[in-house]
Amino acid sequence: MATTEQTDDGPTTRETRSAILETDDLTKRYGELVAVDHANLSVTDGHFHSIIGPNGAGKTTLLDLITGRRKPTSGSIHFDGEDITTLPSDELVHKGIARSFQITSVLSGLSVYENVRLAVQAINYPSLSLFDSYFRGSSRQQEINDQTNTVLEQIGLDDQADQVAQNLSYGDRRKLEIGIVLATDPKLVLLDEPTAGMSVDMKHETIDLIEDVLADATVILIEHDVELVMQLSDRITVLHQGSILAEGTPDEISNNKQVQNAYLGGHTDE
Ligand code: ATP
């Protein structure tokens, strides 16, 4: 989120952070169709940055490119100072890019505890062998267990640690997905329509959780619910037919005539 600093003239809000993610002329073509068209996206470290736009605008494709699920036709992506354009998804997770929702990460047959613990171990202790686990790794095991318990408390599922994931309610399963993301200790979290299909109560609970546990994280959110986007975002990028139509604060985007005409004006909840 934007930082507030004390200066000689009193408190001022100013940007003190740099971009953690930048795309340069990023383009993805599917034959004749240009799904993402020379997109120059810049996401500031610590910001909650939403990407909105009508159906087919290219939002999911852009996320797929950033998370290595698809390769761009041209252009580049830099994350934390490194060119990640050609890196596969699994390497990007280790670099600190975590994506949640739509791509479901929960292992249904395992317990809530086991799901989070696996994510903690896979990311933080990938080289812990079975031998280490049983004979040499007792202090490591304790660290992994402690981290797992911390995440479970953060997402409010500590009292359901032994519950098999497939028996969770829809809302709790979504919380577990956030837990799996948190367990990887990400530098950048990508959320893809996190409240899609939720009841109003569940939606509020999930938004509270996102605001709580991701308060200090850098987040990219794709969302159709404009009210939610306005509430959560530091910056908003509007995509239209694969191109970036506008970028700004929630106020700037709400008052942008081009955005109103292309998207907000005629927008109904999709
Ligand atoms: P929505 O809000 O409906 O999810 P979106 O903004 O996420 O839409 P994308 O799913 O990125 O948009 O799609 C952008 C364009 O690319 C659309 O015209 C879509 O039909 C097209 N497209 C997406 N994936 C493919 C694919 N694998 N092959 C061909 N065209 C594709």
Side-chain angles (χ1 to χ4, degrees):
M1 316 270 162
T3 49
T4 302
E5 290 208 337
Q6 184 76 34
T7 68
D8 292 345
D9 302 327
T12 37
T13 300
R14 56 151 97 130
E15 297 302 322
T16 55
R17 300 179 179 189
S18 55
I20 190 166
L21 180 98
E22 283 181 303
T23 71
D24 185 17
D25 278 341
L26 196 64
T27 300
K28 178 67 180 177
R29 289 176 179 274
Y30 296 112
E32 292 294 296
L33 180 89
V34 190
V36 174
D37 194 359
H38 294 89
N40 294 305
L41 176 73
S42 177
V43 177
T44 300
D45 192 15
H47 270 184
F48 201 109
H49 195 127
S50 295
I51 298 173
I52 63 173
N55 290 112
K59 305 180 294 294
T60 303
T61 305
L62 182 56
L63 244 62
D64 285 349
L65 296 175
I66 293 169
T67 52
R69 289 193 73 227
R70 294 183 193 280
K71 292 290 159 247
T73 310
S74 59
S76 65
I77 310 169
H78 282 80
F79 175 68
D80 215 9
E82 186 184 348
D83 188 339
I84 59 159
T85 316
T86 57
L87 295 186
S89 316
D90 53 341
E91 269 188 55
L92 294 176
V93 174
H94 284 276
K95 297 219 174 271
I97 298 181
R99 179 174 182 163
S100 186
F101 303 112
Q102 286 199 344
I103 316 280
T104 226
S105 43
V106 173
L107 297 168
S108 301
L110 298 185
S111 71
V112 168
Y113 187 88
E114 288 163 338
N115 264 284
V116 174
R117 193 181 189 286
L118 269 181
V120 169
Q121 178 161 344
I123 293 297
N124 299 306
Y125 308 92
S127 60
L128 198 62
S129 67
L130 205 56
F131 180 84
D132 283 338
S133 276
Y134 282 103
F135 300 107
R136 287 210 295 250
S138 57
S139 65
R140 284 255 176 100
Q141 292 297 320
Q142 193 52 50
E143 281 170 35
I144 295 170
N145 292 341
D146 289 347
Q147 283 179 38
T148 303
N149 286 321
T150 302
V151 170
L152 290 176
E153 278 166 31
Q154 278 181 292
I155 57 172
L157 287 184
D158 41 330
D159 59 347
Q160 298 199 65
D162 296 331
Q163 180 76 258
V164 177
Q166 67 194 8
N167 295 335
L168 290 176
S169 68
Y170 182 72
D172 284 343
R173 199 179 160 96
R174 286 258 149 136
K175 286 184 188 172
L176 179 54
E177 288 179 2
I178 294 185
I180 290 170
V181 163
L182 288 177
T184 67
D185 197 17
K187 292 181 191 159
L188 173 66
V189 178
L190 296 100
L191 300 176
D192 201 341
E193 299 193 49
T195 63
M198 289 190 178
S199 67
V200 174
D201 283 352
M202 204 190 287
K203 199 168 178 167
H204 285 137
E205 212 179 299
T206 306
I207 294 165
D208 287 347
L209 180 67
I210 288 172
E211 283 190 302
D212 184 22
V213 299
L214 297 177
D216 298 323
T218 311
V219 179
I220 298 180
L221 169 75
I222 288 187
E223 182 56 63
H224 280 295
D225 183 333
V226 173
E227 203 180 316
L228 172 61
V229 166
M230 296 295 167
Q231 178 189 334
L232 291 174
S233 308
D234 295 301
R235 306 291 291 181
I236 300 171
T237 294
V238 185
L239 270 186
H240 186 59
Q241 296 176 349
S243 298
I244 294 180
L245 178 69
E247 202 269 324
T249 63
D251 272 353
E252 287 165 351
I253 294 301
S254 309
N255 295 318
N256 183 307
K257 286 277 178 291
Q258 262 188 307
V259 176
Q260 284 171 4
N261 292 339
Y263 182 53
L264 294 178
H267 181 81
T268 52
D269 199 22
E270 284 146 294

